[in-house]
Amino acid sequence: MTRQPRPPAPAPHTIRRRSRIVAGACSLTAAAALALAGCGNAGSDEERQAEVVGAFYRIHIKNNAPGLPSAEELRQFQPLVSRALYQLLTQAEAADVRYHAVAGTQAPPIVEGDLFTSLYEGATSFSVVSCDTEDLRSSCQVAFKYGRDGASEAWNDKILLVLEDKQWRIDDIEFIGSDQSSQREYLTDTLADAIQGAE
């Protein structure tokens, strides 16, 4: 799947957006809980894709943890993500442990803010808008909302899936939130940079 650079984004809002790498209450609607919103007319592939995306984000929003996933969250994610993405997540976790063994526990995490959405603070709800399949790959547009402490924000991200062992699994995330830079920004790039920066 060819990655295209994004056009320049509008001016940022008051809520902080997705952070760059630092080296050195879930409120789901019924449709979102089923993770089938926008895919009601889709076939079985699209439904399964939306179910995987929905299961992933229900876990993530419930845990409400910034940065790299905990060991428990990672265990829950394993059946929902591709082998390549799971390996990258575990490598990043190991790099974070090595980094803090040298830099000390007071050092900031190698990834700050929400890892799986464009917004630094993360999301409080989501719905799968549509899923588009081509051969063994698919992309799902997901609408996210953040609402907490009087702040409100809405944006979309694109979840990229791959068919692996006859199961749809999340393989990458393209962050297309409203004030992203014109540079490419993908979850796998973020993790690879974090691993490299921690060395």
Side-chain angles (χ1 to χ4, degrees):
M1 189 172 290
T2 303
R3 296 178 177 179
Q4 300 293 331
R6 290 188 204 89
H13 299 285
T14 55
I15 294 180
R16 289 185 300 168
R17 298 296 180 164
R18 163 165 209 81
S19 69
R20 291 291 180 185
I21 298 304
V22 176
C26 184
S27 78
L28 303 176
T29 64
L34 292 172
L36 295 175
C39 292
N41 297 324
S44 58
D45 267 346
E46 287 76 9
E47 289 176 357
R48 290 198 301 268
Q49 293 155 11
E51 287 168 0
V52 167
V53 171
F56 180 91
Y57 279 105
R58 285 194 298 274
I59 292 167
H60 181 57
I61 291 175
K62 180 181 179 182
N63 290 337
N64 191 30
L68 293 169
S70 66
E72 174 59 21
E73 192 174 15
L74 198 55
R75 184 190 65 77
Q76 295 175 63
F77 285 158
Q78 187 170 10
L80 304 172
V81 301
S82 68
R83 286 187 292 270
L85 181 54
Y86 183 77
Q87 182 178 21
L88 205 51
L89 286 164
T90 55
Q91 287 173 347
E93 181 186 35
D96 188 67
V97 170
R98 290 193 303 271
Y99 170 72
H100 284 95
V102 174
T105 57
Q106 298 303 312
I110 64 172
V111 176
E112 292 186 303
D114 189 71
L115 181 62
F116 299 115
T117 73
S118 287
L119 193 68
Y120 185 95
E121 289 82 358
T124 52
S125 66
F126 73 95
S127 62
V128 179
V129 177
S130 63
C131 298
D132 183 28
T133 305
E134 184 175 344
D135 297 325
L136 302 180
R137 296 200 168 268
S138 175
S139 64
C140 290
Q141 291 279 347
V142 179
F144 293 95
K145 290 183 179 180
Y146 173 87
R148 190 169 288 148
D149 300 327
S152 178
E153 193 65 52
W155 72 98
N156 282 14
D157 285 326
K158 186 182 292 184
I159 315 306
L160 309 179
L161 299 97
V162 63
L163 189 62
E164 196 172 81
D165 301 327
K166 300 183 179 180
Q167 300 289 329
W168 286 104
R169 299 175 191 271
I170 295 172
D171 192 46
D172 208 346
I173 299 170
E174 182 181 1
F175 302 114
I176 56 176
S178 61
D179 75 340
Q180 291 302 309
S181 72
S182 60
Q183 298 178 356
R184 294 181 305 156
E185 189 163 307
Y186 290 80
L187 172 62
T188 51
D189 295 335
T190 299
L191 291 170
D193 287 350
I195 293 166
Q196 183 177 8
E199 298 301 331

